[in-house]
Amino acid sequence: MNITTRFTEEMVSLAKSYCDNPDEAAAPEGGGSFAEYAMISLHGLRIFLDETYKMTIDRLEVMRPILEIIGLEPDDLPHPSTLNK
């Protein structure tokens, strides 16, 4: 297991323990919103990777194991501007 995978597992676990509804789907059906834990995890990954939001999203598009941990598919990833809000 690599360090990014381990970090993501810990980040998702901590984020879920913080959120009111940890069982919410990361990208609920119908789109337009993301579970709180997924957004926290994406922000944490951006900081961990020390990249811009755009670079983080671009990198995650090809990091299926990391997306699986968060509960997202490549098509579910938010636009980088969503992470800036």
Side-chain angles (χ1 to χ4, degrees):
M1 179 181 315
N2 71 36
I3 192 166
T4 304
T5 301
R6 182 75 178 132
F7 174 85
T8 304
E9 288 175 343
E10 290 296 320
M11 188 76 218
V12 169
S13 177
L14 288 170
K16 282 185 173 185
S17 71
Y18 169 80
C19 296
D20 292 333
N21 186 3
D23 296 325
E24 181 180 9
E29 194 71 30
S33 67
F34 295 87
E36 188 176 19
Y37 84 84
M39 293 303 288
I40 292 169
S41 299
L42 291 171
H43 281 290
L45 272 169
R46 185 202 60 83
I47 293 166
F48 175 77
L49 296 170
D50 192 29
E51 294 180 343
T52 66
Y53 290 110
K54 177 155 181 24
M55 289 172 59
T56 300
I57 296 301
D58 288 347
R59 180 185 295 241
L60 287 172
E61 287 177 347
V62 296
M63 296 177 78
R64 285 194 176 266
I66 300 300
L67 289 178
E68 287 176 17
I69 293 167
I70 299 171
L72 295 171
E73 295 288 330
D75 290 342
D76 295 332
L77 285 166
H79 187 274
S81 66
T82 302
L83 295 174
N84 283 322
K85 295 180 182 178

